């Protein structure tokens, strides 16, 4: 796959660059460039990111960072079985348990919420940092919802992190998940309160909490551009109809 000229491979994390030092320099540079493309496209073009991850995997399948990148690219394209296999491979290579929550979420994606809950109760969870533990809580709550256990999902999300007034990188997503679970359980007034709290914490727009809040408040957003386009289209059709009528009259004359 083509690599844009502005990609040098130097953009990758220094720890990943260090991992690639076990490879011949030319090969390491090629792998690095493909990993840069994976990171660049993962959110906006998951299929494109997946393509670059497969190239990196063919070039350096014994590098843990490559297996991890391939896992995230597969995960982003909902290839959960493939993603899980790559994450397991990366974990075996490094012994690192940071991927535990996303591995559990892959189990959810594969239709095995019970397995995700087993992982949420495993000893590995205690080795996760705070962000990882919050992520694991979100996955466990999702698994409960998959199983139709709404009340259990709500309880799962109730934690010191949820109650805290300080804003952390995970705060908006945690509050949003709690609000969404409350809404699904029919607790609309509480859901509105927590969507509002999610909006307060969502400084980078990582959730659509503001839209959900507006929806609960009965606010409808009208796309002015779309409305103008619709009006222009209606006018054009009216003109066409008028011209068609004139032609018909001429033929009758």
């Amino acid at each position: 796959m083509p690599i844009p000229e502005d990609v040098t491979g130097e953009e990758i994390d220094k720890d990943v660059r260090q991992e690639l030092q076990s490879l011949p320099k030319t090969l390491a540079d090629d792998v690095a460039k493909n990993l840069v493309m994976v990171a660049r496209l993962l959110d906006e073009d998951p299929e494109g990111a997946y393509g670059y991850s497969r190239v990196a995997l063919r070039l350096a399948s014994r590098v843990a960072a490559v297996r991890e990148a391939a896992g995230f690219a597969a995960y982003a394209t909902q290839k959960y079985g493939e993603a899980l296999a790559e994450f397991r491979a990366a974990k075996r290579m490094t012994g690192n348990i940071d991927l535990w929550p996303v591995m559990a979420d892959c189990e959810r994606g594969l239709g095995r919420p019970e397995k995700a809950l087993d992982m949420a109760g495993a000893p590995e969870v205690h080795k996760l940092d705070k962000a990882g533990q919050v992520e694991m809580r979100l996955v466990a709550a999702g698994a409960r919802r998959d199983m139709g256990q709404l009340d259990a999902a709500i309880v799962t999300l109730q934690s010191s992190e949820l109650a805290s007034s300080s804003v952390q990188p995970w705060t908006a997503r945690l509050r949003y998940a709690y609000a969404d679970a409350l809404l699904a359980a029919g607790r609309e007034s509480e859901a509105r309160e927590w969507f509002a709290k999610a909006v307060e914490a969502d400084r980078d727009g990582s959730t659509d909490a503001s839209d959900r809040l507006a929806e609960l408040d009965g606010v409808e957003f009208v796309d002015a551009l779309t409305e103008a386009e619709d009006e222009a289209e209606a006018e054009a059709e009216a003109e066409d109809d008028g011209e068609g009528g004139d032609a018909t009259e001429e033929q009758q004359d």
Side-chain angles (χ1 to χ4, degrees), residues 75-222:
Y75 178 79
T77 53
Q78 300 183 3
K79 298 177 176 68
Y80 297 116
E82 191 176 313
L84 186 57
E86 297 300 342
F87 289 142
R88 283 174 174 166
K91 180 176 175 293
R92 282 196 303 270
M93 290 175 176
T94 64
N96 194 321
I97 45 83
D98 290 350
L99 294 170
W100 196 252
V102 73
M103 289 168 65
D105 205 39
C106 285
E107 295 288 1
R108 283 187 61 211
L110 291 168
R112 301 192 293 242
E114 298 89 350
K115 178 63 176 173
L117 287 176
D118 288 343
M119 293 179 70
E124 283 84 351
V125 175
H126 300 294
K127 301 174 185 177
L128 293 169
D129 61 13
K130 181 63 71 176
Q133 290 179 6
V134 170
E135 195 64 37
M136 193 71 247
R137 190 177 290 277
L138 287 166
V139 173
R144 290 292 185 190
R145 290 190 63 172
D146 293 343
M147 298 166 70
Q149 301 173 1
L150 278 175
D151 289 341
I154 290 168
V155 171
T156 298
L157 292 168
Q158 291 170 346
S159 59
S160 58
E161 293 83 14
L162 180 68
S164 175
S165 58
S166 69
V167 175
Q168 303 296 334
W170 60 77
T171 303
R173 291 178 59 238
L174 184 59
R175 291 177 179 179
Y176 181 96
Y178 188 58
D180 194 47
L182 288 169
L183 188 60
R187 295 160 62 174
E188 188 170 314
S189 61
E190 292 172 86
R192 192 207 172 282
E193 176 189 347
W194 282 97
F195 275 127
K197 289 182 178 181
V199 170
E200 290 174 7
D202 195 359
R203 294 166 180 170
D204 58 359
S206 61
T207 73
D208 65 347
S210 59
D211 292 342
R212 299 293 299 277
L213 184 60
E215 188 179 313
L216 283 174
D217 288 342
V219 177
E220 289 187 15
F221 295 102
V222 177

